[in-house]
Amino acid sequence: MTATPDVISARQRGPILLRPFAMIGQTVIGAFREVGRIAVFSGGVLAACVTPVIYLREVLRQCMKVGFYSLPVVGLTAVFIGAALALNIYTGGSRFNAEQFVPNIVVLGITRELGPVLAGLMLAGRVSAGIAAEIGAMRVTEQIDALLTLSAKPERYLYAPRVIAGILTLPILVLIADIIGVLGGYLVAVGALDFNGSLYLKNSWAFVTGNDIWSGVIKAAVFGGIISLMGCYQGDRSKGGAGGVGRAATLAVVGAAVLILASNYILTSIFVRIGL
Amino acid sequence: MSVNPISGPILELKNVHKAFGAQQVLRGVDLTVARGQSLVIIGGSGTGKSVTIKSALGLIPLDKGEIRFAGEAANDGKSIAALRRRTGMLFQGGALFDSLTVWENVAFALLYRDRVSRGNAKNLAIENLAKVRLPASAADLRPAELSGGMQKRVALARAIIAKPDLIFFDEPTTGLDPITADAVNELIVEQVKALGAAAVSITHDMASVRKIADEVAMLHDGKIVWRGPVSALDNSGSPYVDQFVNGRADGPIQPAI
């Protein structure tokens, strides 16, 4: 029995010249298989998000973990990004006497793009990894098996509350990040670039439209779903003790970050097309 | 809980096969457990004892074979859900939910499955904690604040709170000192008897086997190779049982190293 698998796999690998093609084929098939698994998992969890029973206590608990406790990291990111953006736009704008557009471009950049994307990426690190590690630990310590024996479905009790919390709280976090980001730009503009403070705020407020804010909020809701789903998916699939849990956390962050950037482009394309 | 009166075995495993990749773990396990009976499955590490009870609970899908609970086949989501409503399980490490308090762990099935109000559920949880000799003051602690023995007691309270007909115990005394292990075994015997439930346990600890078993089944190479009353353990006539009970490295069972 010990020798048989090696013999079979050597035969299955085929002629040496064809092995690179076999490897490419296996990688492609593996990628499709993974996409399929993620789609099936996400479908089940999203169905659990919109059908009873929804455990509101769990949703609130997760809103606190995903949303409230992420405020400091999102706020700090936003203030520094707003400040750096103001400096860069001022420097670039000064080349063709367009310094006065600093507040307009800062508010537009923050609300439409940088607020949701950077908040999403920061939360991919903080929340997605956290969810993957928590659920992965539950998987390897048999807590998920225990849930099943107690007639609780993990997708309903564990995953749906986290995904709902991600979808609900990330837009709120992004709105707060928008305000803090503009404030970061304001502090630099007024403190270092000699802008008039009230004029800066007036220009920011006058320039931003409802569509700018809505596009950011919609992106944030999508990113919130991606972050939670990837954390839940990788955690659910983790195995093999502490190493497996660590691997799940890493894969969750990488997967969420890539999906955030890809979906950001897709959403931006759609918004441009429909005039949002 | 209104259930059909059970006359035959509470649990039957028929010709159960399970493989993980190329590794065939179960090769036709046949087991029956009568109502009120305490069966202990013994066997070397990696022989598939945990896989057997997880298969019985529908946690691991079978490759081949049949599980019957109270005379009904447990082969789809509905019948497995019905089986789980009438069974309890104590996992090897306790498997308590870290994010919940002790009483929320104990009352989990009442809160999330039976939709019992939190007040009533907490009272019932405290009652069941008392049954496993834990004070009410432990109810609001987190599992991480408890010792290993206390965690096992909480897991036992969680397994019995819904008054199951059958309880599974996966190495209930692993990691406990002999005195605490004996106390946990006493509680298992006492609570299983009080419920009139059947029990299927897995353990390597022969002191536990002698304490909690009515019957013992030996699993080796994916099959039940011996079954008999606990009193027959020392003169089983089986070289497998003889080697295992006496803890010898030489014999038909190869050490798992």
Side-chain angles (χ1 to χ4, degrees):
Chain A
M1 186 175 160
T2 49
T4 312
D6 290 336
V7 173
I8 290 170
S9 61
R11 281 184 194 148
Q12 283 175 336
R13 280 200 295 268
I16 198 160
L17 283 174
L18 293 178
R19 284 184 195 167
F21 297 103
M23 279 175 63
I24 293 167
Q26 279 165 0
T27 306
V28 171
I29 290 168
F32 277 113
R33 193 177 288 148
E34 184 70 0
V35 169
R37 275 197 289 255
I38 292 173
V40 169
F41 179 87
S42 302
V45 175
L46 291 173
C49 289
V50 293
T51 53
V53 178
I54 291 168
Y55 297 115
L56 286 177
R57 181 178 289 270
E58 278 307 301
V59 172
L60 289 175
R61 203 197 306 243
Q62 293 306 322
C63 282
M64 287 299 286
K65 282 174 82 171
V66 174
F68 184 73
Y69 295 123
S70 298
L71 266 173
V73 70
V74 170
L76 279 172
T77 307
V79 76
F80 288 122
I81 287 296
L85 195 59
L87 273 178
N88 274 319
I89 293 165
Y90 182 84
T91 309
S94 64
R95 291 175 195 163
F96 35 91
N97 297 322
E99 298 97 326
Q100 71 274 21
F101 293 116
V102 167
N104 311 34
I105 300 174
V106 166
V107 75
L108 191 69
I110 293 279
T111 53
R112 290 195 78 99
E113 198 64 34
L114 293 173
V117 171
L118 289 175
L121 291 175
M122 292 306 288
L123 261 68
R126 186 188 175 279
V127 174
S128 204
I131 290 174
E134 185 182 9
I135 290 174
M138 289 184 75
R139 170 64 73 194
V140 299
T141 57
E142 298 184 309
Q143 290 179 51
I144 291 184
D145 283 343
L147 271 181
L148 289 165
T149 63
L150 294 164
S151 307
K153 293 181 177 170
E155 60 266 32
R156 206 165 274 291
Y157 176 73
L158 282 180
Y159 310 148
R162 283 162 174 78
V163 173
I164 293 171
I167 292 171
L168 291 181
T169 57
L170 202 62
I172 298 168
L173 282 172
V174 163
L175 286 174
I176 294 168
D178 290 348
I179 295 166
I180 296 173
V182 170
L183 189 69
Y186 167 88
L187 289 174
V188 167
V190 174
L193 306 174
D194 289 333
F195 273 71
N196 178 297
S198 59
L199 201 61
Y200 184 98
L201 291 178
K202 198 176 159 192
N203 278 351
S204 299
W205 183 247
F207 190 70
V208 72
T209 67
N211 281 355
D212 298 329
I213 293 168
W214 270 114
S215 70
V217 165
I218 293 167
K219 282 181 179 180
V222 173
F223 298 164
I226 288 171
I227 288 164
S228 319
L229 273 170
M230 286 309 292
C232 293
Y233 173 75
Q234 295 296 351
D236 186 71
R237 285 186 57 75
S238 68
K239 52 189 164 192
V245 175
R247 189 166 170 270
T250 306
L251 288 173
V253 174
V254 173
V258 170
L259 286 174
I260 283 170
L261 295 173
S263 61
N264 179 56
Y265 172 72
I266 294 167
L267 286 171
T268 304
S269 306
I270 294 169
F271 294 159
V272 167
R273 193 162 291 187
I274 65 175
L276 186 69
Chain B
M1 196 186 307
S2 64
V3 295
N4 296 329
I6 300 159
S7 50
I10 186 118
L11 181 72
E12 294 167 88
L13 277 71
K14 293 180 176 176
N15 195 28
V16 169
H17 286 71
K18 181 67 194 175
F20 295 98
Q23 191 189 3
Q24 189 72 40
V25 178
L26 303 181
R27 303 166 186 269
V29 170
D30 290 295
L31 268 181
T32 56
V33 184
R35 190 175 174 83
Q37 182 182 52
S38 177
L39 174 73
V40 174
I41 303 172
I42 58 173
S45 300
T47 50
K49 301 185 299 297
S50 293
V51 174
T52 302
I53 61 172
K54 286 186 177 179
S55 300
L57 274 163
L59 296 172
I60 295 175
L62 306 182
D63 294 340
K64 191 177 159 191
E66 189 186 16
I67 307 289
R68 296 184 78 81
F69 179 77
E72 304 284 333
N75 53 8
D76 57 16
K78 204 175 165 187
S79 55
I80 289 171
L83 178 156
R84 288 177 184 162
R85 287 185 78 87
R86 293 168 57 190
T87 53
M89 169 88 181
L90 191 154
F91 287 85
Q92 190 175 347
L96 299 176
F97 307 126
D98 309 318
S99 58
L100 302 181
T101 60
V102 163
W103 82 261
E104 286 171 326
N105 265 281
V106 174
F108 190 90
L110 306 182
L111 286 169
Y112 293 96
R113 184 183 71 195
D114 303 335
R115 316 295 284 172
V116 174
S117 71
R118 288 180 70 79
N120 286 341
K122 186 169 185 178
N123 288 337
L124 285 166
I126 290 171
E127 268 178 38
N128 278 271
L129 285 172
K131 287 180 187 173
V132 295
R133 319 265 195 279
L134 282 175
S137 58
D140 291 313
L141 299 176
R142 301 271 164 180
E145 296 175 89
L146 305 177
S147 68
M150 289 168 89
Q151 289 186 14
K152 286 280 167 75
R153 289 170 193 232
V154 173
L156 176 60
R158 184 173 71 180
I160 62 173
I161 194 167
K163 298 183 172 56
D165 296 317
L166 171 63
I167 311 174
F168 294 94
F169 297 95
D170 187 357
E171 304 200 22
T173 56
T174 296
L176 302 180
D177 67 77
I179 297 165
T180 309
D182 192 55
V184 168
N185 285 331
E186 294 263 4
L187 284 170
I188 288 172
V189 172
E190 180 185 308
Q191 293 307 318
V192 168
K193 203 166 279 179
L195 287 170
V200 177
S201 314
I202 289 171
T203 182
H204 291 121
D205 175 11
M206 292 315 295
S208 294
V209 175
R210 294 179 199 281
K211 189 123 196 172
I212 64 180
D214 297 328
E215 285 208 17
V216 181
M218 172 98 196
L219 188 65
H220 176 69
D221 199 23
K223 283 182 176 175
I224 300 294
V225 292
W226 182 84
R227 178 172 177 164
V230 67
S231 55
L233 264 182
D234 293 319
N235 49 6
S236 65
S238 162
Y240 299 104
V241 175
D242 192 40
Q243 183 189 356
F244 191 86
V245 167
N246 292 300
R248 290 195 316 265
D250 59 320
I253 306 171
Q254 295 302 306
I257 50 172

